[in-house]
Amino acid sequence: MNALNHTDHNKAVCIENLMVKYNETPVISGVSLNVESGDYLGIIGPNGGGKTTLLKAIIGLIPYASGNITVYGKKPGKLGRLISYVPQMTTLERTFPITVSEVVLTGTLNAAFKPFHQYTKSDKEKADELLHTVGIYKLKERMISELSGGEFQKMLIARALAVNPKLMLLDEPTASVDANARDQIFSLLNELNRHMTIILVTHDLSAVSSHVKTLACLNGKLVYHGVTELNEAVVNALYGCPIDLIAHGVPHRVLKMHEESE
Amino acid sequence: MLLSILQYQFIQNAIIASIFASIVCGIIGVIIVEKKLVMMSGGIAHTSYGGVGLGYFLGFEPIIGAFLISMLAALGICFIKRRGGTRSDVVIGLFWSLGMALGILFIALMPGYPPDLSSYLFGSILSVTRADLYLMAGVTLIVVLVISILFHYWKAYMFDEEFAYLLGIKTAWLEYLLFILIAMSVVVLIRVVGIILVLALFTAPPAIAERLTKSLKLRMIFSVMIGSVFCLMGLFASYIINIASGAVIVILAASVYLMVYIVTSVKKSMRIKKSC
Ligand SMILES: Nc1ncnc2c1ncn2[C@@H]1O[C@H](COP(=O)(O)OP(=O)(O)OP(=O)(O)O)[C@@H](O)[C@H]1O
Ligand SMILES: [Mg+2]
């Protein structure tokens, strides 16, 4: 371990006073957030709270209006293979004519165009291994249109892993996934977190309380960032109204309802 | 009887032109159907009509005008698409009609007897010259090469552009390149097959191939073959009943698509009933 590195380089992500706009409307503003290397950050927030927007800004898929983002000291869009991404599944074309293993193989593509590129034997072995890791190796020759939602998610995770990233961003990887697959995905993420930094967007509050190390709550602005402990005030600020919250390890401990409205 | 037709030079040229057109349209068509760029390609094709008019008006080769204008339209439409947001379909609709309107205006302003523009809309595949064939061969070669040289990158870009970007692949560059290929294909093909047939060949064969195979590469190959069959049958029919070949080919393509659609839908619903 080289502890003498510049501090910024120990930070996986540094975000300072970030503002992102779509057509002049700010979607997130004033977001400052540091993610330590090795962290497992959970991001929660209501629909439209800007979670996907934040991930895309970190990757460099959308420009930001003001503020600053660095990932391991580098600017978004110039990250090489430091970072990988599991997109929100709803944004992809599920009928596209491509097989599972071809999708995973795209994760091995390099930035520079190589004429008549063919995947090498080691690319293919890597893809097979990753399909084993996520547990869908037997589906490798299937067309993606023939996958269930959970299998599709696992394929996207395998593709993201083919990049060999230091930082992995996942946007609701357990949406539309049954309880069993959900548990598999979370234990895989726990395993991965031993050697990579993870940022996970999820609506699954119970998973958040039992798996992630730190928590960020995003509703246009950063409502909370810190240890994984939700209290009523934060949840109110986040969702605008009290919600049932299954908290930390204690199953079905629901936060007390409170009557007054804002 | 078929053999005796084949002796004519213009029929031979028409057959070769049909095959080039089917290759270009089959390959590009699968991409634009998958990428949902049909509307944008229609925009490029129709805008080029303005270029044809400009050529007549200023007295240079109309096809050069079509080339310049459709390149501009392709780059403009791609730019608008990448900017996103501001109702890109509306802007493309405007491009589309503005191009046609300008074409008509330029022709009206042109001194002398107005040329017959219907050959640009419907093509005149029976009057393809040797020079046309060379041009078409060139563009066909470029399209086939550009797509196959970067095939895996195109696939990654088509399936998930954002992930391709994350890998560092120059997706903006790929997208502009694709639009340039579309513009090139359109221009080379309108003289021989017409704007309307270009659009039919861009869409009908890929749509039928989509129902026959699930592999992207096979879909392209099937589209090329289906397109060729339509063109050749259309040519033959138009020779016999003496109707514009473009129109016959489009009617043929559309009715076969409809038939395939009905048959596969009925099959599907029968399968669902059986499994109940
Ligand atoms: N391409 C876009 N153009 C304009 N506005 C957008 C665009 N994408 C998202 N928005 C808006 O930005 C806001 C934040 O969207 P975002 O997708 O980041 O939310 P989210 O927190 O990921 O929500 P969800 O939980 O539903 O996935 C929303 O109000 C949305 O309407
Ligand atoms: Mg989202």
Side-chain angles (χ1 to χ4, degrees), chain B residues 100-204:
Chain B
M100 306 254 354
L102 286 177
I104 291 164
L105 181 75
F106 287 138
I107 297 294
L109 291 177
M110 182 192 145
Y113 191 70
D116 177 22
L117 282 186
S118 74
S119 78
Y120 286 94
L121 286 179
F122 300 102
S124 55
I125 204 163
L126 294 177
S127 59
V128 174
T129 62
R130 197 123 270 220
D132 289 334
L133 285 185
Y134 287 137
L135 198 62
M136 291 182 79
V139 168
T140 307
L141 191 70
I142 292 174
V143 167
V144 171
L145 276 182
V146 169
I147 299 300
S148 51
I149 285 176
L150 299 176
F151 192 69
H152 285 300
Y153 301 94
W154 287 116
K155 216 175 198 178
Y157 157 80
M158 287 165 69
F159 172 56
D160 187 352
E161 203 175 322
E162 294 186 335
F163 194 79
Y165 174 86
L166 176 129
L167 292 168
I169 293 171
K170 294 183 182 55
T171 49
W173 193 86
L174 282 179
E175 193 153 47
Y176 278 107
L177 183 60
L178 175 61
F179 274 80
I180 288 172
L181 289 182
I182 296 173
M184 272 171 53
S185 320
V186 163
V187 171
V188 177
L189 299 177
I190 50 173
R191 246 294 272 286
V192 279
V193 296
I195 291 173
I196 291 168
L197 185 54
V198 168
L199 279 186
L201 282 184
F202 270 152
T203 49

Side-chain angles (χ1 to χ4, degrees), chain A:
Chain A
M1 283 260 293
N2 185 355
L4 295 175
N5 258 343
H6 189 270
T7 43
D8 265 1
H9 292 260
N10 283 332
K11 296 254 196 317
V13 184
C14 277
I15 300 174
E16 285 160 32
N17 203 14
L18 180 74
M19 164 138 80
V20 181
K21 292 178 177 174
Y22 282 117
N23 313 320
E24 302 308 308
T25 328
V27 174
I28 48 180
S29 58
V31 172
S32 295
L33 178 71
N34 285 336
V35 184
E36 302 294 327
S37 192
D39 198 357
Y40 185 166
L41 171 70
I43 300 180
I44 60 171
N47 291 132
K51 306 177 296 297
T52 302
T53 304
L54 180 64
L55 293 193
K56 287 189 174 175
I58 294 174
I59 296 166
L61 285 170
I62 44 177
Y64 43 91
S66 65
N68 196 27
I69 302 179
T70 55
V71 178
Y72 291 104
K74 293 185 179 168
K75 289 270 168 222
K78 301 192 168 67
L79 302 175
R81 300 180 85 84
L82 278 175
I83 195 170
S84 192
Y85 176 49
V86 176
Q88 200 164 358
M89 198 171 76
T90 48
T91 60
L92 289 178
E93 189 68 64
R94 296 269 305 263
T95 57
F96 188 76
I98 190 169
T99 65
V100 171
S101 77
E102 280 175 321
V103 169
V104 177
L105 279 169
T106 60
T108 68
L109 280 175
N110 278 319
F113 292 123
K114 191 169 147 242
F116 297 109
H117 176 269
Q118 293 295 327
Y119 295 112
T120 63
K121 193 153 167 275
S122 81
D123 289 340
K124 287 179 182 156
E125 282 165 6
K126 185 172 178 186
D128 285 352
E129 186 195 314
L130 291 170
L131 285 170
H132 274 301
T133 310
V134 298
I136 54 168
Y137 178 76
K138 61 178 194 308
L139 304 177
K140 76 179 258 202
E141 296 305 335
R142 282 252 185 113
M143 302 306 296
I144 59 165
S145 53
E146 296 160 354
L147 295 182
S148 74
E151 290 159 351
F152 195 89
Q153 285 288 12
K154 289 175 182 172
M155 173 189 75
L156 293 182
I157 294 174
R159 178 184 70 168
L161 290 173
V163 175
N164 240 337
K166 281 171 81 176
L167 169 66
M168 175 92 129
L169 312 181
L170 300 100
D171 200 348
E172 297 184 34
T174 54
S176 80
V177 156
D178 69 24
N180 192 18
R182 175 181 158 275
D183 290 345
Q184 287 167 0
I185 289 174
F186 279 119
S187 65
L188 175 65
L189 291 180
N190 284 340
E191 181 69 27
L192 293 172
N193 184 229
R194 291 204 280 182
H195 58 269
M196 69 177 76
T197 314
I198 293 179
I199 300 180
L200 167 75
V201 167
T202 184
H203 287 295
D204 187 339
L205 296 184
S206 66
V208 162
S209 51
S210 46
H211 293 290
V212 307
K213 290 178 185 163
T214 50
L215 183 65
C217 306
L218 190 63
N219 186 6
K221 48 195 194 305
L222 201 60
V223 179
Y224 174 84
H225 177 219
V227 292
T228 312
E229 191 108 45
L230 276 176
N231 59 43
E232 204 174 351
V234 169
V235 171
N236 283 353
L238 187 56
Y239 290 97
C241 60
I243 55 155
D244 290 356
L245 178 67
I246 302 163
H248 228 149
V250 188
H252 304 290
R253 195 192 84 195
V254 178
L255 286 178
K256 247 194 309 181
M257 308 282 278
H258 77 160
E259 273 95 72
E260 70 193 344
S261 61
E262 279 180 45

